[in-house]
Amino acid sequence: EIVLTQSPATLSLSPGERATLSCRASQSVSSYLAWYQQKPGQAPRLLIYDASNRATGIPARFSGSGSGTDFTLTISSLEPEDFAVYYCQQRSNWPRMYTFGQGTKLEIK
Amino acid sequence: EVQLVESGGGLVQPGGSLRLSCAASGFTFSSYSMNWVRQAPGKGLEWVSYISSSSSTIYYADSVKGRFTISRDNAKNSLYLQMNSLRAEDTAVYYCARAKLSEFDYWGQGTLVTVSS
């Protein structure tokens, strides 16, 4: 079973700053990695798929990079609405299952 | 507009059963694989089950295998999760989510299942 480890657990930044979130896989997931944003009381929202592709309607300040075991979500300049919890997720084929990282909470400093 | 609306959650005793439903609209339901994902209170996301567009392929997380059954009715644009032998650790918000390829591109608002005596 592939384990996804996100770091840091909590990231404290101010609006306008750059945010860098990390997701490390216990074995290679190729480029099949996605990122989600979740705000309190809301469902997760897909931000990035296949490591670097923005989902429909996602602002250009969100970008993803990486392949293999190391992935990064970057928010170039934080807006007030970006403070939330972020999860990475991958799909493995054998056995078929989907796993999420434990999440990174991005909070206002 | 894609919409997924879950229902059927509630309070159930340990060992009891519950059936969740997810009503889909705004897209061709029969063309997409679907999933259930849950989130325990204050915790992270956990994938529960997957069903292909034609119901020919189904997968479960080990934590629910043998107790939960996923199904769908493409004529009714609906997804279901039959949950039996419920445990306290099954307490969570349950989301239905549309599968794109390796990711979930649309999610419902969730329905809360509480397993407690």
Side-chain angles (χ1 to χ4, degrees):
Chain A
E1 176 186 340
I2 297 176
V3 175
L4 298 178
T5 302
Q6 293 186 240
S7 61
T10 303
L11 184 58
S12 299
L13 293 171
S14 300
E17 290 192 292
R18 181 184 186 90
T20 302
L21 287 68
S22 174
C23 178
R24 177 164 289 179
S26 58
Q27 55 186 282
S28 177
V29 299
S30 186
S31 293
Y32 300 124
L33 189 105
W35 290 93
Y36 301 84
Q37 176 194 68
Q38 187 179 34
K39 297 179 181 179
Q42 296 185 16
R45 175 175 71 146
L46 177 66
L47 298 175
I48 301 288
Y49 65 95
D50 290 348
S52 61
N53 295 295
R54 273 191 303 277
T56 303
I58 301 303
R61 64 180 181 273
F62 291 91
S63 63
S65 63
S67 66
T69 60
D70 289 299
F71 299 86
T72 300
L73 174 69
T74 301
I75 311 171
S76 58
S77 179
L78 285 165
E79 298 287 341
E81 62 267 28
D82 298 336
F83 292 92
V85 179
Y86 292 83
Y87 295 94
C88 58
Q89 172 258 318
Q90 68 85 33
R91 184 195 86 176
S92 49
N93 287 328
W94 189 256
R96 171 66 73 90
M97 62 186 302
Y98 302 79
T99 53
F100 292 89
Q102 82 280 16
T104 289
K105 182 179 181 180
L106 178 56
E107 65 177 24
I108 300 176
K109 187 174 182 179
Chain B
E1 177 193 5
V2 172
Q3 283 201 316
L4 299 169
V5 180
E6 302 93 337
S7 60
L11 176 63
V12 61
Q13 291 188 339
S17 298
L18 213 54
R19 189 194 195 207
L20 306 183
S21 298
C22 172
S25 61
F27 65 103
T28 305
F29 181 71
S30 60
S31 296
Y32 287 86
S33 301
M34 297 295 295
N35 293 264
W36 288 98
V37 178
R38 68 184 180 183
Q39 186 170 36
K43 302 298 184 182
L45 300 166
E46 179 188 17
W47 169 76
V48 172
S49 185
Y50 161 100
I51 186 168
S52 64
S53 58
S54 65
S55 303
S56 60
T57 303
I58 286 174
Y59 301 106
Y60 297 100
D62 287 345
S63 58
V64 306
K65 203 172 293 183
R67 301 187 299 123
F68 289 12
T69 302
I70 192 171
S71 63
R72 64 190 295 162
D73 185 335
N74 287 342
K76 295 183 177 179
N77 291 338
S78 293
L79 174 72
Y80 306 102
L81 185 68
Q82 177 67 43
M83 304 186 295
N84 298 332
S85 303
L86 283 162
R87 306 166 180 167
E89 55 265 35
D90 295 318
T91 294
V93 173
Y94 285 74
Y95 297 100
C96 65
R98 191 178 83 168
K100 191 162 177 278
L101 287 172
S102 298
E103 64 282 347
F104 311 119
D105 61 349
Y106 287 95
W107 299 62
Q109 86 290 348
T111 187
L112 176 63
V113 172
T114 303
V115 184
S116 175
S117 54

